[in-house]
């Protein structure tokens, strides 16, 4: 499964992208913002936008870890 390597919302905030700004400028949808709050994975389109906003590669944001519950 994929997990976040960073606190995405906090990193966005440090880069000047508050949740208010993300909503107002339609940079990320409400579902994506709520998923980030819950530490749940966002969709590929939202991940692509996050990479663009933070100037990062997906590997800087997420990582794969073995799911021990399988």
């Amino acid at each position: 499964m994929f997990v976040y390597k960073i606190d995405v919302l906090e990193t966005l905030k440090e880069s000047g992208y508050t949740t208010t700004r993300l909503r107002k400028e339609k940079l990320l949808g409400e579902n994506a913002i709520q998923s980030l709050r819950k530490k749940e994975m966002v969709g590929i389109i939202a991940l692509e936008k996050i990479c663009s906003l933070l100037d990062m590669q997906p590997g800087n944001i997420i990582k794969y870890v073995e799911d021990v519950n399988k």
Side-chain angles (χ1 to χ4, degrees):
M1 70 180 175
F2 289 108
V3 295
Y4 293 106
K5 293 168 104 173
I6 62 172
D7 183 333
V8 178
L9 285 178
E10 185 62 33
T11 306
L12 284 165
K13 187 177 177 181
E14 289 168 2
S15 297
Y17 296 102
T18 62
T19 53
T20 303
R21 181 177 176 192
L22 293 170
R23 285 186 190 95
K24 189 175 182 180
E25 296 180 20
K26 296 184 177 19
L27 299 171
L28 285 177
E30 186 62 34
N31 288 342
I33 293 169
Q34 291 305 320
S35 292
L36 290 169
R37 278 204 174 108
K38 298 176 192 173
K39 308 290 186 220
E40 296 172 352
M41 277 299 124
V42 295
I44 192 72
I45 293 171
L47 180 60
E48 192 174 341
K49 189 64 176 182
I50 292 165
C51 288
S52 174
L53 293 172
L54 296 176
D55 192 26
M56 291 183 173
Q57 294 295 313
N60 299 117
I61 299 170
I62 59 173
K63 68 179 177 179
Y64 176 78
V65 295
E66 194 71 33
D67 188 357
V68 294
N69 296 326
K70 284 188 177 181

